[in-house]
Amino acid sequence: MQHESLLPYLAILKAVGCKTLGDVDRMVKEYSDAAYQIACFQMGLTDLDIISSTVGIQDICIAYILKNGGGKAGLRMMFDLLNGPSESNDSMAAFLVEETADLPFLNQ
């Protein structure tokens, strides 16, 4: 089993204010339930039986960005940092904002 690098998420974690491993640990603890909701939503959209090793940290970052008002622009920034700037990142961000709007974590 090949693991993907988590290194691209370092820039995102810094961008959302994480300065120490303690900050990252607090973020994981605080947003893991929301990340789980996002992961369940995303897995419901596909019939793939393979899960990326980075899905956890990505969904925690998505949850953090959405819960803290980053919206589409925040998600676009995250996808641009991960994938390089692209118009498809804008579409992906817009889709996630729209499709996750009714998930319970956003209304807590």
Side-chain angles (χ1 to χ4, degrees):
M1 177 180 195
Q2 186 177 17
H3 293 283
E4 295 175 57
S5 172
L6 296 176
L7 192 57
Y9 289 89
L10 182 59
I12 296 164
L13 293 169
K14 286 181 179 180
V16 299
C18 291
K19 295 179 180 157
T20 67
L21 288 176
D23 293 338
V24 173
D25 186 53
R26 280 186 290 283
M27 185 174 154
V28 168
K29 287 177 182 172
E30 187 171 342
Y31 293 93
S32 61
D33 287 342
Y36 177 76
Q37 291 175 35
I38 293 168
C40 288
F41 161 75
Q42 290 174 326
M43 297 328 265
L45 298 176
T46 180
D47 59 352
L48 294 177
D49 59 355
I50 300 170
I51 298 175
S52 168
S53 61
T54 61
V55 73
I57 190 65
Q58 179 171 312
D59 288 341
I60 286 171
C61 291
I62 290 169
Y64 179 89
I65 291 166
L66 292 176
K67 185 75 174 173
N68 289 282
K72 180 181 162 189
L75 293 178
R76 168 73 192 252
M77 176 270 309
M78 183 188 85
F79 292 130
D80 283 350
L81 287 171
L82 288 174
N83 308 321
S86 165
E87 285 304 313
S88 66
N89 292 338
D90 197 57
S91 300
M92 193 171 0
F95 174 77
L96 271 173
V97 167
E98 182 179 326
E99 295 299 316
T100 60
D102 293 329
L103 292 179
F105 82 91
L106 283 176
N107 303 311
Q108 296 173 338

